[in-house]
Amino acid sequence: MAVLLLAGCQTVILKPGFSASVASAYKGASIQVDLVGVNNSELAAWNAKPIDDYFSAGDMFRASSPKVTLNFGAGENEVQALPVTHPIWQQWNAKGSTHIMVIADLPGYTIPMGGIDLRRQSVPLSSDKWDKSPPVVSIQVTPTGIILIPAPKAE
């Protein structure tokens, strides 16, 4: 019986589905949103990476990371999805990804007082961070930054 109890408490790595949309304030603007698989050993570096540097030409973080880029703007779909069947999940699983970094290149964005850059959100893949398993995460890109719905439980 103890084994069953322990098994019930085990944390599992999830593959959530993602759906992304951009606020009407950005209608017609060219917006890029990257989803990047990150493992625990990389997490601190990714959280410290300046977003303006990440989107600059030749940035090694961006160039060398397994990612999916969602492009919004003229001629692009207003809502885009990353299904759990997408082949990128194989690469993310192979490197032991524990988080998906969602990073948006937002024209005219200014980092608010306090220095928290909301163009970056970390989506934990641990089952204990979600009420529903696996979740479907809606990524809403707004002039104030990225909003995740539902939001994961606090780290």
Side-chain angles (χ1 to χ4, degrees):
M1 186 145 151
V3 173
L4 292 175
L5 290 174
L6 289 175
C9 296
Q10 183 177 12
T11 298
V12 176
I13 296 297
L14 303 174
K15 286 176 26 177
F18 289 96
S19 173
S21 62
V22 174
S24 60
Y26 286 122
K27 188 158 184 80
S30 179
I31 306 286
Q32 292 183 323
V33 178
D34 281 0
L35 286 79
V36 184
V38 176
N39 65 33
N40 279 335
S41 69
E42 304 169 297
L43 191 57
W46 277 93
N47 281 323
K49 178 71 176 171
I51 303 303
D52 290 331
D53 291 353
Y54 175 80
F55 281 107
S56 67
D59 182 76
M60 291 307 296
F61 268 70
R62 189 164 195 228
S64 64
S65 299
K67 68 182 168 304
V68 169
T69 300
L70 306 176
N71 293 297
F72 295 91
E76 301 290 346
N77 291 333
E78 290 183 18
V79 177
Q80 297 183 31
L82 178 70
V84 297
T85 56
H86 192 285
I88 194 68
W89 282 104
Q90 294 172 347
Q91 292 178 46
W92 291 342
N93 289 339
K95 72 180 276 188
S97 295
T98 56
H99 292 77
I100 303 300
M101 300 303 290
V102 181
I103 306 169
D105 187 16
L106 303 179
Y109 182 85
T110 303
I111 298 173
M113 295 289 281
I116 298 173
D117 193 336
L118 295 176
R119 294 176 292 175
R120 169 184 36 234
Q121 291 285 347
S122 176
V123 178
L125 299 179
S126 176
S127 61
D128 65 342
K129 300 297 180 193
W130 299 96
D131 289 327
K132 182 181 176 201
S133 181
V136 175
V137 179
S138 173
I139 301 165
Q140 297 182 357
V141 181
T142 73
T144 58
I146 297 169
I147 301 169
L148 302 175
I149 300 174
K153 295 176 186 175
E155 296 267 349

